[in-house]
Amino acid sequence: MSKEPNILDPLEVAETWSSDGRKVALATVIETWGSAPRPIGSHLVIDEEGNFQGSVSGGCVEGAVIAEAMEIIDSGTPKVLEFGVADETAWRVGLSCGGRIRVYVERIDG
Amino acid sequence: MERSTLQAINAARAARRAAVVVTDLSDGASQVFLEGASFPRKWDSLIVDALRSGRAGIAAVEGRSLFINVHLPPPRIVAIGAVHISQALAELAAVAGFDMTIIDPRTAFATAERFGAVELLAEWPEDILPSRPLDRYTAVAALTHDPKIDDYPIRAALEAGCFYVGALGSRKTHAARIERLGHAGMPAEAIGRIKAPIGLDIGAASPSEIAVAVLAEIIESLRRRDPGGQAGGTR
């Protein structure tokens, strides 16, 4: 067992979970337009059971990112997800603040 | 991302060393670069700019879409002197999101009863700082009034490029300090970076008010720093 990570620090959590043998995906905000709740570089870490720490928005799109992350944990193929205003996008969720974000989701391999 | 890459990022952050992660979005390959190392020529200006500005973003190089992420160490305040002002400053620093450490060799001052949970080191600065080095993401506030305690960390802070160096004391006290540091071989330009009398001029009178003035001056130095020079992290 490794030491307890700081749960407010997604990268520490990701390393600890991965070292403990859990399958882990890391989501990162890579672009924002307009009003976006979390700045570029923000992280969300997800494990294969859907446990998560961190954030890529104010809670608006985390559910969709987690669902995608489960597939990426299986396939190992990274993916860029884009979220816009709720009713202007093909995604079933969106940002109520009117901004748009792109989120890169990758598996931690090791 | 390989787990070894993630470990390298976290190790750099734990060591308070700035790191840049370059991810090729077309194939997912990612690499970590540490401040002070040499960088691949094609990415050099991107990485150097990211370290300076602290800003992450997308860039296109040789037809490939890259994501450049920057991890700067969190800003930290080191207060020299476990004095009344430091007690208030410790509480304010926590609210404003700064890590804080207090150093004072006088064990009567440096007691847990006076400071609670904040990191408190009852050591001489010259004994403790070599093993806990200052860096440019650190603010140093010298608050003892005592040259025997304050002068060494002020010099160390200027040499380490700390984004803020402030010293308590009247103009007269500071004039004497300037003379001492000059005799000790500190360049006038470096001495000129010391904020003294310490704190924004808001007419602060009580120790708590002076702590507000000092923290405000530290925040000003962090947020209005020269983008090409000193840097500090954000949370």
Side-chain angles (χ1 to χ4, degrees):
Chain A
M1 280 296 289
S2 27
K3 72 177 174 64
E4 281 297 304
N6 173 1
I7 58 161
L8 293 178
D9 188 323
L11 293 182
E12 263 189 49
V13 171
E15 182 180 335
T16 305
W17 285 2
S18 174
S19 302
D20 287 349
R22 291 156 80 167
K23 291 180 180 163
V24 177
L26 184 67
T28 307
V29 178
I30 59 169
E31 267 188 296
T32 66
W33 295 266
S35 163
R38 295 284 287 130
I40 297 173
S42 303
H43 293 295
L44 171 71
V45 56
I46 307 105
D47 78 359
E48 78 268 34
E49 288 172 4
N51 297 300
F52 67 95
Q53 292 290 355
S55 62
V56 292
S57 75
C60 322
V61 304
E62 271 75 3
V65 174
I66 291 162
E68 285 284 340
M70 312 293 264
E71 287 177 26
I72 289 159
I73 283 174
D74 273 343
S75 71
T77 311
K79 203 165 167 181
V80 175
L81 312 175
E82 187 163 340
F83 299 95
V85 180
D87 54 0
E88 280 180 13
T89 137
W91 292 92
R92 58 187 184 283
V93 293
L95 298 166
S96 52
C97 50
R100 275 199 298 143
I101 60 172
R102 283 172 81 210
V103 178
Y104 177 71
V105 188
E106 62 191 318
R107 187 173 73 184
I108 304 297
D109 293 313
Chain B
M1 180 188 284
E2 298 295 322
R3 192 202 296 156
S4 57
T5 307
L6 180 61
Q7 286 167 333
I9 299 167
N10 283 340
R13 293 161 72 229
R16 294 187 62 80
R17 198 151 169 214
V20 169
V21 183
V22 179
T23 303
D24 186 328
L25 294 175
S26 50
D27 63 10
S30 53
Q31 278 180 266
V32 186
F33 299 98
L34 300 185
E35 176 183 37
S38 61
F39 312 125
R41 192 194 293 175
K42 62 179 175 179
W43 294 344
D44 185 71
S45 63
L46 282 177
I47 294 171
V48 169
D49 286 352
L51 285 169
R52 272 193 193 141
S53 68
R55 275 194 209 100
I58 299 275
V61 176
E62 294 172 356
R64 301 184 84 90
S65 184
L66 306 174
F67 175 61
I68 318 291
N69 207 357
V70 195
H71 300 276
L72 298 183
R76 171 177 71 158
I77 298 171
V78 173
I80 308 301
V83 297
H84 198 167
I85 295 171
S86 308
Q87 289 178 288
L89 185 58
E91 295 199 25
L92 296 168
V95 173
F98 290 83
D99 291 341
M100 180 147 170
T101 300
I102 297 169
I103 300 173
D104 195 325
R106 300 168 300 179
T107 48
F109 284 81
T111 66
E113 188 179 26
R114 285 161 51 77
F115 286 92
V118 66
E119 184 180 44
L120 187 60
L121 304 170
E123 306 271 359
W124 284 92
E126 46 267 68
D127 292 336
I128 194 75
L129 286 179
S131 62
R132 305 175 57 98
L134 301 170
D135 56 43
R136 61 200 190 97
Y137 311 101
T138 301
V140 171
L143 302 171
T144 71
H145 281 118
D146 183 343
K148 288 197 304 296
I149 305 174
D150 280 352
D151 278 11
Y152 176 87
I154 289 170
R155 290 210 315 263
L158 293 172
E159 282 163 5
C162 289
F163 73 86
Y164 174 90
V165 186
L168 190 69
S170 65
R171 284 172 212 289
K172 194 176 156 199
T173 304
H174 190 55
R177 181 183 294 127
I178 289 173
E179 200 168 320
R180 281 196 312 276
L181 293 173
H183 282 312
M186 185 61 58
E189 189 192 20
I191 295 172
R193 289 188 49 227
I194 302 170
K195 305 277 192 190
I198 200 168
L200 291 189
D201 185 5
I202 55 172
S206 71
S208 298
E209 290 172 7
I210 294 167
V212 171
V214 170
L215 182 62
E217 193 172 52
I218 289 171
I219 292 170
E220 182 184 47
S221 294
L222 177 69
R223 298 300 171 196
R224 297 223 176 113
R225 68 191 182 266
D226 166 14
Q230 312 308 321
T234 54
R235 302 197 151 185

